[in-house]
Amino acid sequence: MFAIPFRAVFVCLVFQTFGFAQTDGMASIKGGRYIPLYGRDSSLIEVQDFELDAYPVTNGQFLQFLKDNPKWQKSNVLKLYADENYLRQFKNDTTLNDTENPNSPVTHVSWFAAKAYCECQGKRLPTIDEWEYVAMSDEVTADARKKASYNQKILSWYETPRTDERSIGKTPKNYWGIYDLHGLVWEWTLDFNSVLISGESRKDVDRDSNLFCGSAAIGATDLMNYAAFMRYAFRGSIKARYSIKNLGFRCAKNSTETL
Amino acid sequence: MKSILKILSIVLLLSAYGCFKSKKKVYTNTEDIPVHREMKAELTAPPNVPRPVGERKAKKLIVEMEILEKEGELTDGVRYVFWTFGGTVPGSFIRTRVGDEVEFHLQNHPDNKLPHNIDLHAVTGPGGGAESSFVAPGHEKVFSFKTLNPGLYVYHCATAPVGMHIANGMYGLILVEPDGGLPLVDREYYIMQGDFYTKGANGERGLQPFDMQKAVDEKADYVVFNGNVGALTGDNAITAKVGETVRLFVGNGGPGLVSSFHVIGEIFDKVHVEGGDLINENVQTTMIPAGGAAIVEFHVNVPGTFILVDHSIFRAFNKGALGMLKVEGEENENIYTGEQYDGIYLPEGPGIQEMPTTDGVVESEIPAQNFEEQMKFGKQIYMQTCFACHQAEGQGIPNAFPPLAKSDYLNADVNRAIGIVLNGKTGEITVNGQKYNSVMTRQMLSSEEIANVLTYVYNSWGNNKTVVTSEMVNTIKNK
């Protein structure tokens, strides 16, 4: 008797929450031009306006995704899309290990799984250029790459072990209102493998002078390059089905989609 | 006839035996050396080395090397995140012989942050293996190579930024022994020098991050053997007995500095120059380039403690490049007599030695919070500054340096003691009934450090348990 109106309210609520969730927790990034350590044509890159998740996706959020999408649970996932380390922090298909923090960034996810997660939310993974564009800011400046303090902080994170176990949102909010780009985990990008780095970093000097000449030059930009080198080197070492303890992700979407 | 046959058969047998003996084929091209069977390589942490190869034939040798990024200690109270091959700096020692087919498994621990690879200087091939071994955290890469040239070689990580990976400790040694092995000796040890660049100055406590700018400028804060300041001193010293021959496999990981390797009180009978075939004899100091190695051998004739140093000598006494070889056994006065005469020599003018003064002795960044910390920090300073003369238990050295243990002179007047540390002391004093007449230079310590070290001294070895504060030191300083 009362069931029908009640259900209608329920559906509505769910729908509304879902509607908010699309922009909820995202920050608007105003596009611009910049020269990354490396660009596809090794020059000025233009980034369009877009939106980016303020926080990396957490264990808890990913757990919900697994419940809604059983094909990404670890016993069901296609081996083509995830290696043996996929979701290692899970006891079984839908339970985290007791030692895991639901509020720390989800890791041990493959690129395929990260991509699917974002698509289920009507989003996508950010591109390298977008990610690096947002990541070059500190708390007050959009492009802080020349500041010694900015680079020192990033380098010291690269050296600190087990940061993947920390909760999200504890690092300072950056210029765009984004947290944790540096300090917790590496993050997947849509086109992570578009910069080809062979294992032999010294040889790459010939292959793309923009990418590796910096390592030999002595100058003010060296520190900046060193932090970025490590990200590009990391991206160069991984494959899309890899699931790694220090690698998580967040989602992005085009600005126009929100209107 | 019969006897002729007998002789013939013996001759035949002998020639067959001779044939058999000379069957050990010498390969002009080491590439052609065949491998027999498979074996897992024994890997050892420094300062130890695996068993010599001896007469064994070339084999397929399986090396499993795990990369670990882990926190450790550079010196007392100074922490550092080391990146390591096998959990140690330098990495595990690999021992092969010429002609071995090495199947190299490089494993990057899942907890690690970064991708790594390995360039072995013993490899003939692009990148020394770096190209084939680029491995993400939680993965393993396998590649194989044949050891073509005997010698002692460095291996290191070659992932961008290469300098940083090496500066954090990613280097080690791989030995390729010649056919039949190196001649056997009594003792073998593995020693590798490296320079470290920390954000804080030498001795600044706490977890110190890597300082890229200092590394680019090649201004090292620490230059050490085997990954930390005390790795080869005190209880960690390497040992030998009189009459033995010692062989040291010495490498230099760099990243920046070249080593002038020297053992105080010994002459190297033999040096495999740069780790290769060339043998030089009777060498005092051998140069080891960054990314290079040498094998040094010497016979130990007399007992004592022999100090291993980088003879760029401030590195040894101020930055940590110092190790010890302790030799036990009978004295041999034909070779070394020890002290034979001690008399007075008075040149004109006072002979007070004074260190050049710098006004700013910087206060340590983390002051002691309580008595326990004062004792801990005080002990560190004692071991760095006072130990050489006053000795480990404050016992001093008879007729030369007065004791601090149960010292009536010390316990009588704390302000006098503070004054001596601040300003030095020269001239005759009487301690526990014994007269001493020597020189103590003024010590370049901050007030906080003086308070800590004196508190340590007063609360050790039967003294009167005075606690000294930096305020007390400042009062004397400002008088």
Side-chain angles (χ1 to χ4, degrees), chain B residues 191-204:
Chain B
I191 292 162
M192 199 157 181
Q193 182 171 323
D195 26 303
F196 287 86
Y197 304 84
T198 55
K199 186 139 186 290
N202 181 301
E204 201 169 304

Side-chain angles (χ1 to χ4, degrees), chain A residues 83 85 157-160 162-163 186 199-203 212 218 223 226 230 233-234 236-238 242 244-246, chain B residues 81 83 110-115 117 119 127 130-131 134 136-139 156 158-161 164 168 209-210 212 216:
Chain A
D83 69 12
N85 285 328
W157 168 63
Y158 290 170
E159 289 192 287
T160 310
R162 309 182 85 88
T163 48
W186 307 109
E200 173 52 314
S201 312
R202 299 156 297 180
K203 199 177 76 182
F212 281 105
I218 298 170
L223 283 179
Y226 264 83
M230 294 165 86
F234 183 84
S237 77
I238 55 181
Y242 281 15
I244 292 178
K245 187 168 180 287
N246 281 302
Chain B
V81 177
W83 300 347
D111 278 344
N112 292 347
K113 274 248 164 74
L114 295 162
N117 62 10
D119 166 355
E131 204 173 64
F134 191 40
H139 286 256
H156 63 88
T159 301
M164 183 175 182
N168 283 343
F210 167 70
M212 188 65 222
V216 170

Side-chain angles (χ1 to χ4, degrees), chain B residues 46 63 103-104 107 129 150 193 228 307 309 314 362 385 391 448:
Chain B
V63 175
E103 182 181 288
F104 205 100
Q107 303 155 339
Q193 182 171 323
N228 67 74
I307 310 290
V309 296
F314 278 104
V362 205
T385 310
Q391 302 292 298
E448 158 103 22

Side-chain angles (χ1 to χ4, degrees), chain B residues 42-170:
Chain B
E42 175 193 6
L43 302 182
T44 58
N48 300 311
V49 295
R51 281 185 299 278
V53 301
E55 290 289 335
R56 85 157 165 83
K57 290 180 176 166
K59 286 187 179 175
K60 179 173 173 189
L61 194 65
I62 310 213
V63 175
E64 289 183 359
M65 182 77 88
E66 185 184 36
I67 296 167
L68 289 166
E69 299 165 5
K70 62 181 224 181
E71 197 180 307
E73 205 156 59
L74 256 178
T75 183
D76 289 338
V78 180
R79 318 277 306 160
Y80 192 81
V81 177
F82 296 97
W83 300 347
T84 70
F85 287 109
T88 54
V89 179
S92 310
F93 195 95
I94 309 168
R95 195 159 192 161
T96 69
R97 58 149 284 167
V98 72
D100 275 348
E101 225 172 78
V102 181
E103 182 181 288
F104 205 100
H105 296 243
L106 190 65
Q107 303 155 339
N108 195 352
H109 194 278
D111 278 344
N112 292 347
K113 274 248 164 74
L114 295 162
H116 298 283
N117 62 10
I118 193 165
D119 166 355
L120 299 120
H121 291 181
V123 169
T124 309
E131 204 173 64
S132 326
S133 59
F134 191 40
V135 57
H139 286 256
E140 173 176 339
K141 284 276 173 80
V142 182
F143 66 101
S144 295
F145 62 93
K146 195 166 180 75
T147 49
L148 300 181
N149 306 64
L152 182 61
Y153 299 93
V154 167
Y155 64 78
H156 63 88
C157 183
T159 301
V162 181
M164 183 175 182
H165 283 256
I166 296 176
N168 283 343
M170 298 198 77

Side-chain angles (χ1 to χ4, degrees), chain B residues 193 225 248 250 259-268 283-288 296 298 306-313 321 323:
Chain B
Q193 182 171 323
F225 295 131
L248 304 178
V250 192
S259 174
S260 305
F261 187 72
H262 175 77
V263 177
I264 299 174
E266 272 298 345
I267 295 147
F268 304 141
V283 177
Q284 55 188 314
T285 300
T286 192
M287 190 74 117
I288 305 177
V296 307
F298 50 92
F306 297 85
I307 310 290
L308 287 53
V309 296
D310 178 343
H311 216 294
S312 293
I313 209 72

Side-chain angles (χ1 to χ4, degrees), chain B residues 402-404 407-426 428-432 440 450 454 458 464 466 468 472-473 475-477 479:
Chain B
L404 298 177
S407 161
D408 56 357
Y409 186 86
L410 177 79
N411 289 313
D413 188 347
V414 64
N415 288 336
R416 177 174 65 186
I418 294 170
I420 291 174
V421 179
L422 277 170
N423 304 314
K425 174 81 185 164
T426 179
E428 187 173 286
I429 59 171
T430 304
V431 182
N432 296 349
M440 170 168 155
I450 292 175
L454 280 174
Y458 272 109
N464 69 8
T466 307
V468 180
M472 290 161 72
V473 179
T475 313
I476 307 290
K477 203 188 239 178
K479 243 180 200 170

Side-chain angles (χ1 to χ4, degrees), chain B residues 231-288:
Chain B
L232 290 174
T233 59
D235 292 343
N236 301 324
I238 54 176
T239 57
K241 293 202 171 69
V242 166
E244 290 183 332
T245 300
V246 178
R247 177 184 286 145
L248 304 178
F249 297 103
V250 192
N252 184 6
L257 305 179
V258 166
S259 174
S260 305
F261 187 72
H262 175 77
V263 177
I264 299 174
E266 272 298 345
I267 295 147
F268 304 141
D269 300 326
K270 268 192 198 174
V271 174
H272 288 254
V273 179
E274 292 163 6
D277 285 348
L278 177 66
I279 292 179
N280 196 0
E281 294 182 351
N282 303 327
V283 177
Q284 55 188 314
T285 300
T286 192
M287 190 74 117
I288 305 177

